[in-house]
Amino acid sequence: MRLVIDEVRCKGCNLCTLVCPYRIFKPGTIANRKGILVPVTDRPERCTNCRLQKIYGRTLCGMCQMICPDQAINWVNEEVYEPHRVVVED
Amino acid sequence: MSGDDWLRKDRLPHIWCAGCGNGTVVNCTLAAVDEIGWQRANTVFVSGIGCSSRAPGYVLTDSLHTTHGRAIAFATGVKLADPSLNVVVITGDGDLAAIGGNHFIHACRRNIDLTVICMNNQIYGMTGGQGSPTTPMGKLSTTTPFGSVEPAFDLTELAKAAGANYVARWTGFHVKELTKAIFSGLSTKGLAFIEVLVQCPTNYGRRNKYRSVTDQIDYMKTHSVLKQKADRLREEGNELPEDTIILGEIVKRSLPAMGVRK
Ligand SMILES: Cc1ncc(C[n+]2csc(CCOP(=O)(O)OP(=O)(O)O)c2C)c(N)n1
Ligand code: SF4
Ligand code: SF4
Ligand code: SF4
């Protein structure tokens, strides 16, 4: 899975930068078309949810998505973000 | 987000300002509604007037955006007319505690089977930042330009004293705990009241020297203690500072309730 910020919805409040245990979100510096400083993501493939959501079949962590007041954070299906194969032992 | 199916996506982005805590409360509420498994056909969201009261407009179910202060009055009607409905009220501090104060205490006294979620931003957001009954002493608003000189309402204590079956308080930062509290509220028979302290960067934060949204969140984080810890500190004879925010489940009980589905 790949983490994406919806540029249409994001209002640049930076609340997501407060909650990520990996500090994946960094305050943005370049204004987009709407004049909003959308946060940039630093190596988002580290995100727990990007790596493990499929294996566990549910959202893991998800703190950034819950706190985002503009419903702007989501995950899209993309294999490239699961580079480390994780084997679940049973 | 787990409550994603409950959002009216065609209405997004919503009108709330950048960093307004109301959106976070919507996320938590919908996650809890999704978790409890309510059906859209028998769920109703009711609100009054205010920024916070726009929330039901973003929820994909029957929703009533009523007159200022009367959300609980309308919700009482809905619930008593058809107790098989699940009714959630979303309200603001002005809507609930100022103009709607009497509806609030009487709904708690009657213990009607509603879940009332108050987005408390400690100000009248929609009308430009007038002081509300929950504006803390000393804080600035357009109607308290030298700092509020009145003591503020403690909404959870009010609900508890009036007889609500479930009362809790969290902030817009404590998303997981808040979702759990709303879930408990939804499962409670009788009135469940959940107060959420949220940031209003535009009208409260800006006047009260919080330079960014995150500053106000930091304030809430550093000035809050869990109820259990606060009780323990008090038992040990310690004074808590005036501005301490007490978080957690304030009361959970099963007094007789009205409007409960048979
Ligand atoms: C009967 C009536 N009186 C006054 C108003 C004006 N009014 C609209 S919203 C509002 C205050 C809302 O404050 P609050 O409930 O705290 O919501 P917030 O906007 O802060 O989320 C007031 C006084 C009104 N709409 N109707
Ligand atoms: S919390 Fe949401 S709206 Fe705020 S900056 Fe992050 S992605 Fe954008
Ligand atoms: S889900 Fe958790 S780990 Fe992943 S980006 Fe969000 S806060 Fe960070
Ligand atoms: S005025 Fe305050 S409460 Fe209203 S949308 Fe803006 S930040 Fe939120």
Side-chain angles (χ1 to χ4, degrees):
Chain A
M1 304 293 264
R2 183 163 68 95
L3 177 77
V4 284
I5 301 178
D6 183 340
E7 292 229 2
V8 178
R9 290 188 187 171
C10 174
K11 291 177 187 154
C13 65
N14 286 334
L15 285 177
C16 49
T17 65
L18 289 179
V19 295
C20 180
Y22 298 101
R23 299 179 192 278
I24 284 174
F25 302 91
K26 305 276 179 216
T29 45
I30 302 160
N32 71 4
R33 196 169 44 83
K34 289 163 77 181
I36 285 163
L37 304 175
V38 177
V40 286
T41 52
D42 171 22
R43 289 165 288 153
E45 63 275 13
R46 292 176 299 152
C47 161
T48 326
N49 204 37
C50 291
R51 291 184 285 120
L52 303 174
Q53 190 186 47
K54 274 200 196 150
I55 296 170
Y56 284 81
R58 62 185 166 89
T59 307
L60 293 143
C61 181
M63 289 298 284
C64 53
Q65 193 185 38
M66 283 300 271
I67 206 166
C68 173
D70 289 279
Q71 294 80 33
I73 298 173
N74 255 307
W75 286 271
V76 293
N77 228 336
E78 217 167 280
E79 299 290 337
V80 290
Y81 279 83
E82 291 143 44
H84 326 285
R85 224 169 73 80
V86 184
V87 181
V88 185
E89 292 175 23
D90 47 18
Chain B
M1 195 177 71
S2 55
D4 224 29
D5 311 340
W6 285 81
L7 272 177
R8 287 190 197 175
K9 298 205 184 67
D10 55 326
R11 311 291 289 165
L12 299 177
H14 53 58
I15 60 149
W16 292 317
C17 310
C20 173
N22 295 355
T24 308
V25 183
V26 168
N27 295 347
C28 298
T29 307
L30 296 184
V33 168
D34 185 67
E35 199 182 326
I36 203 166
W38 284 359
Q39 297 305 310
R40 203 163 277 137
N42 52 9
T43 303
V44 183
F45 274 72
V46 187
S47 68
I49 297 291
C51 296
S52 39
S53 294
R54 290 195 58 106
Y58 301 111
V59 182
L60 189 60
T61 182
D62 287 332
S63 46
L64 290 166
H65 190 185
T66 70
T67 51
H68 194 32
R70 313 296 171 218
I72 290 183
F74 278 84
T76 303
V78 171
K79 186 69 191 175
L80 295 187
D82 185 355
S84 72
L85 297 173
N86 303 307
V87 186
V88 181
V89 174
I90 298 191
T91 178
D93 47 309
D95 197 58
L96 182 83
I99 188 167
N102 255 305
H103 295 299
F104 176 44
I105 54 175
H106 289 284
C108 293
R109 173 179 63 82
R110 293 176 180 138
N111 221 345
I112 302 163
D113 191 18
L114 306 171
T115 302
V116 180
I117 301 168
C118 177
M119 300 173 174
N120 180 3
N121 53 15
Q122 307 179 316
I123 201 122
Y124 287 0
M126 179 164 268
T127 44
Q130 295 80 3
S132 91
T134 58
T135 305
M137 280 252 226
K139 293 295 182 185
L140 305 184
S141 69
T142 56
T143 49
T144 58
F146 304 106
S148 172
V149 291
E150 306 167 6
F153 259 146
D154 181 330
L155 299 178
T156 57
E157 289 299 323
L158 197 61
K160 180 180 164 190
N165 260 352
Y166 180 86
V167 181
R169 182 195 284 119
W170 288 103
T171 77
F173 175 73
H174 301 89
V175 287
K176 296 270 164 168
E177 296 88 341
L178 173 60
T179 308
K180 278 204 191 114
I182 298 177
F183 183 85
S184 306
L186 301 176
S187 0
T188 300
K189 291 192 168 57
L191 196 128
F193 175 65
I194 298 116
E195 174 184 356
V196 196
L197 286 166
V198 287
Q199 66 282 8
C200 165
T202 306
N203 279 316
Y204 185 85
R206 188 165 53 95
R207 286 196 179 84
N208 289 290
K209 307 204 169 56
Y210 298 110
R211 296 199 52 201
S212 67
V213 180
T214 45
D215 285 353
Q216 202 175 345
I217 290 277
D218 273 340
Y219 178 89
M220 294 200 280
K221 259 164 65 182
T222 49
H223 286 73
S224 54
V225 296
L226 275 177
K227 178 168 186 294
Q228 289 83 342
K229 187 173 177 196
D231 289 348
R232 197 176 65 236
L233 287 171
R234 284 204 192 102
E235 259 166 38
E236 290 164 0
N238 297 307
E239 272 295 317
L240 291 177
E242 275 294 309
D243 53 0
T244 309
I245 308 168
I246 297 183
L247 301 181
E249 201 169 273
I250 309 291
V251 76
K252 187 175 186 167
R253 56 194 170 191
S254 37
L255 302 175
M258 269 180 88
V260 180
R261 187 177 352 192
K262 295 282 174 323

